[in-house]
Amino acid sequence: MSDTSRVQGRLFRRILSITALLSLILGAAVVLGLATGPSGIDLHPVVQLLTGSLDADSLQLAIIERIRLPRVLMALFCGAVLSLGGLVFQALLGNPLAEPYILGISGGAATGAIMGILAGFARVPGVSLTAFAGSMTTLFLVLLLARGESRVGRDAMLLSGVMVNAFCSAVIMFLISISEENKLHDIMFWLMGDLSSADMSQVGLVALLVLPCFVVIFLLSHKMNLMLMGREMARAMGVSIRRTTLVLLVATSFMVSAMVCQSGLMGFVGLVVPHILRQVFGTDHRVLVPATIVGGGAFMVVCDLLARWIPREGEIPVGVITAILGAPLFIMLLKRRGRS
């Protein structure tokens, strides 16, 4: 066996073992998510469902299949998409603070989605297309404002994203102020980052849209590794910098906008998960991409679980939980980067 084959075999086993470990954590989070309801956590009906002993006509089965399961699956996809989006942006910009929400990509998608709602478009494909147009517009603005190859230019991209995100927030507030009362509920849905209205048709649509993006990003993970070594080194290794960057940006913006259409705004997910996994498993994106997909899904399922479990009555938007967890980490990373 050649050295290359041995290296590839070790890499494959490492990816498999890490993904399996994170899948166990995800599986436990999913079971808890299915078992959590207004009365608290009850594992008994979930165990019955898994063992096939739950009555097919029971109310508990209907609640799990029609309410809890779609919500848990939507949370899984939401966490995976936003975490992977953060990982890609951090690799392309060489900045650990980059993520879709901070760079304004999520805000642009939400702005486009709200414009689609006010225009009377159907959620698919009308609102989805306006959300994608909004995310691509904000991405173009951020790149235009922070153009440059130096480290200062890359840091300027983060500041440009913050400014564009603030502008998107102002536009959203303006749209709310002029919108009709019967459309306010739909608009507030985007702003709260809520998963409570998910159903299986929405989950199927999200899966259809984002799974190809997962595959594309994983296939380009080795090129992301080479690009982190420097543009000249990547070009010497045969990487087309412009084409690879364009494909990654479009794929990431598309899946983020598709997710925002269904879940609303979720901040800091793309910051928390890649940072933790990078600290634990290293910087190889061939490992980090699948780990981020599974780990991000588990993180969001847990956040949604906390959003339902913490209040004694009702629930809080899951976007509040992600902001509470992510904002302190953002400040810590910002201070660490300032010292260096």
Side-chain angles (χ1 to χ4, degrees), residues 22 26 76-77 79-81 83-84 87 211 214-215 217-218 273 277 288-298:
L22 293 173
L26 175 60
L76 192 158
F77 277 115
V81 166
S83 300
L84 185 58
L87 180 70
L211 288 178
F214 290 172
V215 174
I217 293 172
F218 177 73
V273 177
L277 295 180
L288 282 176
V289 168
T292 301
I293 292 172
V294 180

Side-chain angles (χ1 to χ4, degrees), residues 18-164:
I18 291 174
T19 305
L21 173 63
L22 293 173
S23 296
L24 290 176
I25 299 174
L26 175 60
V30 167
V31 170
L32 288 175
L34 295 177
T36 302
S39 59
I41 299 177
D42 184 9
L43 291 172
H44 183 64
V46 179
V47 173
Q48 287 184 312
L49 176 63
L50 295 176
T51 58
S53 58
L54 187 62
D55 187 359
D57 298 324
S58 69
L59 178 61
Q60 289 178 323
L61 178 62
I63 291 174
I64 291 174
E65 288 186 341
R66 298 179 186 179
I67 299 177
R68 296 180 187 174
L69 180 60
R71 179 168 183 161
V72 168
L73 292 177
M74 187 64 77
L76 192 158
F77 277 115
C78 181
V81 166
L82 297 180
S83 300
L84 185 58
L87 180 70
V88 172
F89 282 127
Q90 289 161 20
L92 292 179
L93 304 181
N95 192 325
L97 301 177
E99 68 111 16
Y101 181 80
I102 296 173
L103 289 176
I105 307 302
S106 296
T111 304
I114 291 172
M115 288 181 176
I117 292 173
L118 295 179
F121 296 155
R123 176 168 291 186
V124 180
V127 175
S128 299
L129 291 176
T130 57
F132 179 64
S135 66
M136 293 304 296
T137 300
T138 54
L139 177 62
F140 174 76
L141 286 175
V142 170
L143 293 174
L144 182 65
L145 291 171
R147 60 185 181 274
E149 300 293 332
S150 66
R151 180 185 171 190
V152 175
R154 289 188 174 187
D155 288 343
M157 184 169 291
L158 181 66
L159 297 176
S160 300
V162 172
M163 290 187 293
V164 170

Side-chain angles (χ1 to χ4, degrees), residues 62-296:
I63 291 174
I64 291 174
E65 288 186 341
R66 298 179 186 179
I67 299 177
R68 296 180 187 174
L69 180 60
R71 179 168 183 161
V72 168
L73 292 177
M74 187 64 77
L76 192 158
F77 277 115
C78 181
V81 166
L82 297 180
S83 300
L84 185 58
L87 180 70
V88 172
F89 282 127
Q90 289 161 20
L92 292 179
L93 304 181
N95 192 325
L97 301 177
E99 68 111 16
Y101 181 80
I102 296 173
L103 289 176
I105 307 302
S106 296
T111 304
I114 291 172
M115 288 181 176
I117 292 173
L118 295 179
F121 296 155
R123 176 168 291 186
V124 180
V127 175
S128 299
L129 291 176
T130 57
F132 179 64
S135 66
M136 293 304 296
T137 300
T138 54
L139 177 62
F140 174 76
L141 286 175
V142 170
L143 293 174
L144 182 65
L145 291 171
R147 60 185 181 274
E149 300 293 332
S150 66
R151 180 185 171 190
V152 175
R154 289 188 174 187
D155 288 343
M157 184 169 291
L158 181 66
L159 297 176
S160 300
V162 172
M163 290 187 293
V164 170
N165 199 23
F167 176 75
C168 289
S169 298
V171 172
I172 290 173
M173 292 300 104
F174 171 74
L175 293 174
I176 290 176
S177 67
I178 65 172
S179 62
E180 300 174 2
E181 186 175 351
N182 62 342
K183 294 182 178 179
L184 282 177
H185 179 270
D186 289 335
I187 293 176
M188 294 307 296
F189 168 78
W190 306 106
L191 302 181
M192 291 188 300
D194 186 38
L195 300 169
S196 60
S197 61
D199 59 45
M200 289 307 296
S201 62
Q202 294 176 351
V203 172
L205 176 63
V206 167
L208 183 66
L209 294 175
V210 305
L211 288 178
C213 297
F214 290 172
V215 174
V216 169
I217 293 172
F218 177 73
L219 293 176
L220 295 175
S221 58
H222 181 56
K223 293 185 178 181
M224 283 194 284
N225 287 340
L226 296 176
M227 290 170 65
L228 285 177
M229 299 170 62
R231 291 178 176 269
E232 295 302 324
M233 176 68 72
R235 288 194 184 97
M237 298 294 291
V239 177
S240 175
I241 303 294
R242 180 172 298 179
R243 183 173 60 189
T244 302
T245 301
L246 180 62
V247 172
L248 287 171
L249 287 177
V250 172
T252 303
S253 298
F254 177 77
M255 69 179 186
V256 168
S257 61
M259 195 67 250
V260 169
C261 282
Q262 305 298 330
S263 66
L265 287 174
M266 305 278 187
F268 300 104
V269 180
L271 180 72
V272 173
V273 177
H275 175 73
I276 294 175
L277 295 180
R278 195 181 291 111
Q279 295 295 317
V280 176
F281 300 121
T283 59
D284 189 342
H285 285 82
R286 293 171 295 182
V287 175
L288 282 176
V289 168
T292 301
I293 292 172
V294 180

